Every structure is written in structure tokens, then in C-alpha cells.
Amino acid sequence: MMQGKTKNVLLAVLVVGLVSMTVAYAAFSSSLTISSSAKVNNTKWEVKIDNFANAGAQTNLNGGTSEAVVTMPGTTSGTTISGLEVKFMKPGDVVKFTFNLKNTGDIAAKLNGFTLGEPASSTKVTKEVKCGSTPAVPSTSGTAMNLAAGTGTIACYMKLTLAADATMSTGSSPTSVTIPNTVFDYGQN
């Protein structure tokens, strides 16, 4: 009986050895060739404010010509307008700026919203921004306007108005207002 068990164990060891040698032979004798190519393109993310300018004479709230003077024309850097200062000569004066939001990059983008810098509350200056056909207010979100890669442009304006009932700095002297940064928020489309 012992010889039968020994034979079975020896037979099992031989079978396992034979299977192992077969697998090893197959692994060493076959070759696997994978060939492929990949191309990585340089892409550029560039969404910016373009052609920021004073729109010229505006009609004031009283129906006459606004006498507001832009004392610091503002600068743009990427998606931010900063350094803007306006001198309102009388209540009801209006000043308007036009600009484009432009995508000159290789990646489609969308305007998610923007935040308008608020001047001191005592100045009674209201701001209106409109991009495309969508009027917007401070801290707007969900405007989601698409800007195609390389060509996408949205025409916009920003209008600042001194309230008709505003009290001037000292009697009838001009009121200077500095507008803090206005920032536009973009994301990948």
C-alpha cells in the first residue's frame, strides 16, 4: 500500500513538473510585440479682455450729455480690469466702456461668470455689465457663454452711472470714484 501512495505522489510531482516546463517553454519561446505611436500637441490656454476702451459721450440720466471724465483709463491683464477711475461732474452722469472677451488659445472655453469690484457705497454709483445678449450683475454665475478655440469673441460693455439724487463731494464739485478690479471667470468648455 505504501508503494501505491509513493507512486501516486511521484506521478503527481511528474505531472506538475511537466506542466511547469510546458508553461516555461511557452513563455520563453514566444515574443509579444506591441507597436503604437502617440502625438502630443502643444496647447495654449489664453482667454483675455481685448480692446477695452471708453465708448465716448453718453446721455446722462437727465437727458443731457454726460460730463463724466475718465481720469484713469484702466488696464487689462488677462481676465481682469483694474485701475479704473472716473470723475463724475454732476448727478446722473454716465460713462460706458466697451471691450471683447476673446479666446486666442487652442482650447474651447466658456465664461462662467464675473465679479465686479464695488466702489465705496457712499458714492451711489451703479454698474451694469452686458456680454453678448446676456445682461449681468455683480458676482454673476451661470452665464456660461462659449468661446470657440482661437476665434471665440463676445462683445461686452460696462456702464457706470452716478445716481441722479447723489450728493456731490463738496456742494457741486466733482466726485472721483475708483472702481476696484472686475474679474471674469473662465473654464474649459
Side-chain angles (χ1 to χ4, degrees):
M1 196 134 165
M2 193 60 136
Q3 285 182 343
K5 276 188 174 181
T6 305
K7 275 186 182 180
N8 288 342
V9 170
L10 184 59
L11 187 58
V13 169
L14 287 173
V15 169
V16 169
L18 182 62
V19 169
S20 297
M21 287 180 7
T22 305
V23 169
Y25 175 77
F28 287 114
S29 67
S30 63
S31 64
L32 177 62
T33 305
I34 299 174
S35 63
S36 180
S37 64
K39 182 179 178 184
V40 177
N41 293 328
N42 288 335
T43 57
K44 178 175 73 171
W45 175 262
E46 187 172 9
V47 179
K48 63 183 182 176
I49 296 169
D50 192 34
N51 297 326
F52 183 76
N54 185 340
Q58 299 293 307
T59 302
N60 67 21
L61 295 180
N62 302 316
T65 300
S66 177
E67 296 176 18
V69 176
V70 178
T71 53
M72 289 177 58
T75 59
T76 61
S77 175
T79 59
T80 302
I81 300 170
S82 59
L84 183 60
E85 186 176 284
V86 177
K87 186 179 282 188
F88 293 98
M89 305 308 269
K90 58 186 177 192
D93 271 352
V94 176
V95 65
K96 183 176 179 180
F97 300 91
T98 58
F99 56 97
N100 293 321
L101 301 177
K102 191 171 189 176
N103 183 358
T104 58
D106 303 325
I107 303 168
K110 67 179 176 181
L111 171 63
N112 292 325
F114 50 89
T115 303
L116 299 176
E118 292 293 329
S121 59
S122 61
T123 60
K124 287 192 167 186
V125 172
T126 58
K127 293 187 305 276
E128 175 188 0
V129 171
K130 184 175 180 181
C131 290
S133 60
T134 306
V137 294
S139 301
T140 296
S141 62
T143 51
M145 287 182 249
N146 295 328
L147 291 161
T151 59
T153 301
I154 301 172
C156 300
Y157 73 77
M158 177 169 58
K159 184 164 68 171
L160 308 171
T161 305
L162 182 63
D165 64 347
T167 304
M168 302 307 282
S169 300
T170 51
S172 61
S173 64
T175 297
S176 288
V177 177
T178 300
I179 308 299
N181 293 355
T182 297
V183 180
F184 292 84
D185 174 36
Y186 296 91
Q188 188 172 347
N189 190 4

